[in-house]
Amino acid sequence: RKRRKLLIVFSVFVLVLLGLYLLRHPLLRSCATFLITEDTLQKADAIFVLSGGGYDRGNEAVKVFKQGYAPVIICTGGLLAKELKTLNIDTLESDLTAANLRRQQVPDSNIVELRYGTSTHEESDTILGYCKQHGFKRVIIVSSKLHTRRVNSVFRKKLLAANIELVLHGASSSSFDEMHWWQSEDGLIAVNNE
């Protein structure tokens, strides 16, 4: 009798493991779809590009800008770009993003650098202050796709309380496919960090 119960428990355990294995790709993809939350693009007063991904986020901001959704791109970030420190170059993440915009022929008159913010929370305070100072009513915020849920949780209520509408937009990674994040070390790190 006891042996039969153990056999049933073991069989159920094996079936569950087999089911998880067979469903691994949809389950892993669901992690990405949970983390990615975006709004439909709308015309806005400005596009803010959050720091920490000046290449991918900057590229996406340029696409949105060239489609005419906003007249200005504002780059945030007060952290030094670590990779450039090895070359003894002290450049802020906001400067790198702005350089990427200029490389893609965005005119200087359409670029603003806010050299503040070392975290999503600090950037949200900086952006909120800038929006209030300039009377913005709707802004597009560009971050990496897998960061959008966190950005949404930090920004949306804060901006809404100031009567500023948030349009959240994600930039795809150039180093991995978000829907297959587990196949890349960069993807594994990105999901783990979220």
Side-chain angles (χ1 to χ4, degrees):
R1 182 122 176 112
K2 190 174 182 180
R3 187 175 174 165
R4 186 171 177 213
K5 278 187 178 180
L6 283 174
L7 185 59
I8 290 171
V9 168
F10 178 74
S11 298
V12 168
F13 178 72
V14 168
L15 286 173
V16 167
L17 285 179
L18 181 62
L20 288 173
Y21 176 76
L22 293 173
L23 296 172
R24 70 191 181 282
H25 290 170
L27 290 170
L28 291 168
R29 259 192 303 278
S30 70
C31 292
T33 56
F34 172 76
L35 291 173
I36 299 170
T37 177
E38 295 181 272
D39 300 310
T40 302
L41 281 172
Q42 301 176 52
K43 293 257 186 188
D45 297 304
I47 301 163
F48 286 91
V49 184
L50 300 185
S51 65
Y55 181 75
D56 294 332
R57 297 174 189 184
N59 290 347
E60 191 62 30
V62 170
K63 285 181 197 171
V64 173
F65 172 78
K66 288 184 176 178
Q67 290 171 357
Y69 283 103
V72 64
I73 303 175
I74 302 169
C75 311
T76 65
L79 286 175
L80 287 173
K82 294 178 209 157
E83 292 81 10
L84 293 180
K85 288 185 82 158
T86 59
L87 300 173
N88 204 27
I89 300 171
D90 288 337
T91 300
L92 297 178
E93 289 181 344
S94 56
D95 299 329
L96 284 180
T97 303
N100 186 19
L101 304 181
R102 289 183 188 98
R103 180 182 63 83
Q104 297 181 69
Q105 283 78 50
V106 175
D108 279 337
S109 58
N110 299 99
I111 300 171
V112 175
E113 291 184 57
L114 291 180
R115 295 179 171 97
Y116 302 102
T118 58
S119 68
T120 306
H121 284 281
E122 284 184 14
E123 285 180 304
S124 70
D125 291 336
T126 299
I127 288 171
L128 177 61
Y130 192 90
C131 288
K132 286 180 175 179
Q133 182 182 359
H134 291 85
F136 291 169
K137 296 299 177 196
R138 179 186 295 144
V139 294
I140 298 167
I141 295 185
V142 176
S143 188
S144 301
K145 280 190 179 287
L146 291 178
H147 298 170
T148 52
R149 180 165 293 277
R150 176 168 41 94
V151 170
N152 186 59
S153 70
V154 172
F155 276 85
R156 191 157 313 264
K157 284 183 186 174
K158 191 178 283 191
L159 292 178
L160 197 57
N163 292 316
I164 302 165
E165 186 180 346
L166 167 63
V167 178
L168 186 56
H169 188 66
S172 296
S173 172
S174 57
S175 61
F176 65 92
D177 174 0
E178 285 83 3
M179 290 300 122
H180 298 93
W181 58 267
W182 61 92
Q183 296 175 350
S184 156
E185 184 177 356
D186 287 343
L188 289 165
I189 292 168
V191 168
N192 180 65
N193 287 347
E194 289 307 310

